[in-house]
Amino acid sequence: MEKREGNIKFKLFGTLRLNYRPSEGEIFIAEPITLAQLLKELAKKYAGIQEKLLEEEKLRPGVVILVNGKNVLHLQGLNTEIEPGDTVVIFPPGAGG
């Protein structure tokens, strides 16, 4: 794979959008990273976000994370590779009625 550097776009929705500002942005990476690594980078900016999304090093039930419109549960979960130019959308567990 060719090494590229650039930005990953991210967007937070639901309660994450209410609790963390700005609720979207970009993170610069020097090479492709995994979703788990991206979440660690987001935790540097948004204290407590990992606890809202992860449980025992797995995604919490109900968390939906899309990379370029594809659910990571149908890709490689936390090992999904993210490259510069990708967009990551994060939905926390939700409840409805």
Side-chain angles (χ1 to χ4, degrees):
M1 179 188 323
E2 179 182 325
K3 182 177 174 180
R4 297 174 21 205
E5 57 182 47
N7 290 334
I8 295 171
K9 294 179 184 177
F10 68 89
K11 296 179 182 182
L12 306 176
F13 286 92
T15 55
L16 297 177
R17 184 179 206 106
L18 298 174
N19 295 326
Y20 298 108
R21 297 286 179 183
S23 60
E24 57 185 80
E26 296 184 3
I27 293 178
F28 177 82
I29 60 170
E31 60 188 353
I33 62 174
T34 64
L35 175 59
Q37 291 169 311
L38 175 64
L39 293 179
K40 286 179 185 174
E41 285 299 310
L42 285 176
K44 292 176 186 176
K45 183 173 184 157
Y46 302 117
I49 195 167
Q50 280 187 296
E51 291 77 10
K52 295 179 186 301
L53 302 174
L54 301 176
E55 187 174 82
E56 298 176 11
E57 297 185 31
K58 293 181 182 177
L59 289 177
R60 285 184 172 276
V63 169
V64 175
I65 299 179
L66 307 176
V67 175
N68 299 327
K70 295 181 182 173
N71 191 325
V72 298
L73 295 178
H74 302 294
L75 299 172
Q76 295 174 340
L78 291 174
N79 294 318
T80 299
E81 191 171 86
I82 301 169
E83 298 182 9
D86 286 350
T87 299
V88 178
V89 179
I90 303 173
F91 297 88

